[in-house]
């Protein structure tokens, strides 16, 4: 059972480039979410989804897009990378309302 | 969003008890969680407590919840060097949204 899988583990982008961070879970979880982790700021919610075809914004959505075409996958797109998006990104999923989040191992993104 | 606050650093000697504290503002929290993050890894669920409980014990871990003061603590008995990590407090509100603290970096001194 792989759990939550994120790819890539590391990525370096130049300002203005675009890319997609991949997230997949094999636990049939309805809820999926993306967080960014910055020093001294904890985890901040970017976008989340409560099921296939449904997405919503979190606390810091600007500069990021998401889609949820299947239950398993929840990619995060950076349309035009900025240095302020240098961070560690975590994908997490949960089976339901009374359940905790299961996290992937993260993607460390550097924008120069 | 809701505020969840933790102190940033804690150092303890190996064998002592560690107590990591957390305060939150949302009085309608349903569940409160403790996660552990080791270097280069994701967050791993340690334990959680339902908001109508005062205490939960799981081996070396004891969670205390003071709902009146909105205060949550995690006590680790007989702290070992392998317990060195960042510990995050998190709460889930009635809208099923999670809010995380800034994390407390625990250093265990041999």
């Amino acid at each position: 059972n792989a759990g939550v899988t994120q790819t890539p583990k590391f990525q370096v982008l130049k300002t203005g480039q675009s890319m997609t961070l991949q997230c997949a879970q094999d636990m049939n979880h309805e809820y999926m979410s993306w967080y960014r982790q910055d020093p001294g700021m904890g985890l901040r919610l970017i976008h989340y989804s409560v099921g296939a075809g449904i997405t919503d914004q979190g606390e810091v959505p600007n500069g990021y897009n998401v889609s949820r075409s299947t239950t398993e996958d929840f990619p995060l797109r950076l349309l035009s990378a900025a240095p302020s998006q240098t961070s560690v990104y975590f994908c997490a999923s949960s089976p339901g309302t009374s359940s905790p989040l299961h996290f992937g191992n993260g993607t460390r993104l550097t924008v120069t | 969003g809701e505020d969840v606050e933790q102190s940033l650093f804690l150092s303890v000697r190996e064998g002592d008890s560690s107590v990591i504290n957390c305060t939150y503002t949302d009085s309608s929290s349903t569940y409160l969680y403790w996660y552990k993050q080791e270097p280069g890894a994701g967050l791993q669920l340690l334990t959680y407590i339902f908001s109508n409980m005062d205490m939960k014990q799981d081996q070396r871990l004891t969670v205390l919840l003071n709902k009146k003061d909105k205060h949550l603590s995690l006590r680790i008995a007989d702290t070992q060097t392998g317990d060195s990590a960042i510990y995050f407090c998190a709460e889930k509100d009635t809208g099923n949204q999670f809010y995380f603290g800034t994390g407390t970096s625990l250093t265990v001194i041999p």
Side-chain angles (χ1 to χ4, degrees):
Chain A
N1 190 345
V4 180
T5 302
Q6 291 184 237
T7 56
K9 291 191 191 313
F10 301 95
Q11 182 70 50
V12 179
L13 292 178
K14 294 189 187 303
T15 298
Q17 286 185 315
S18 63
M19 80 158 295
T20 300
L21 280 63
Q22 302 291 344
C23 175
Q25 53 90 10
D26 60 359
M27 299 174 283
N28 202 32
H29 288 175
E30 290 295 325
Y31 181 91
M32 296 186 74
S33 54
W34 278 101
Y35 290 86
R36 58 178 289 173
Q37 182 182 21
D38 301 293
M41 302 190 75
L43 278 76
R44 292 182 292 170
L45 181 64
I46 304 171
H47 285 284
Y48 66 98
S49 168
V50 298
I54 306 168
T55 63
D56 208 344
Q57 296 181 350
E59 182 186 354
V60 289
N62 292 342
Y64 307 96
N65 279 355
V66 291
S67 59
R68 186 91 181 272
S69 56
T70 66
T71 299
E72 294 77 21
D73 299 299
F74 190 45
L76 179 72
R77 296 184 186 84
L78 282 70
L79 301 177
S80 179
S84 61
Q85 293 178 305
T86 293
S87 188
V88 181
Y89 291 85
F90 287 101
C91 179
S93 70
S94 172
T97 56
S98 62
S99 301
L101 287 173
H102 299 255
F103 282 83
N105 284 330
T107 295
R108 185 174 294 274
L109 175 68
T110 301
V111 183
T112 61
Chain B
E2 305 301 334
D3 282 333
V4 180
E5 295 190 355
Q6 303 176 238
S7 54
L8 289 180
F9 303 100
L10 176 67
S11 292
V12 298
R13 295 211 171 270
E14 190 174 18
D16 288 349
S17 293
S18 308
V19 179
I20 303 171
N21 295 302
C22 170
T23 58
Y24 59 97
T25 57
D26 184 5
S27 58
S28 65
S29 296
T30 55
Y31 289 88
L32 296 116
Y33 304 88
W34 284 103
Y35 283 85
K36 176 183 181 182
Q37 184 184 32
E38 296 181 352
L43 278 70
Q44 172 192 5
L45 178 70
L46 277 181
T47 187
Y48 65 96
I49 188 167
F50 188 48
S51 58
N52 69 355
M53 297 170 64
D54 298 324
M55 186 181 85
K56 181 178 180 181
Q57 189 150 4
D58 184 1
Q59 299 182 339
R60 291 190 299 122
L61 305 179
T62 303
V63 178
L64 294 178
L65 174 60
N66 182 327
K67 198 170 181 181
K68 174 176 170 290
D69 293 338
K70 299 189 186 69
H71 182 267
L72 182 74
S73 67
L74 174 70
R75 178 176 179 270
I76 305 173
D78 187 25
T79 312
Q80 303 297 307
T81 54
D83 295 324
S84 291
I86 301 176
Y87 291 81
F88 288 92
C89 165
E91 58 133 349
K92 181 156 69 169
D93 67 11
T94 52
N96 296 317
Q97 290 307 312
F98 291 83
Y99 299 95
F100 286 84
T102 53
T104 298
S105 179
L106 174 65
T107 300
V108 181
I109 305 164

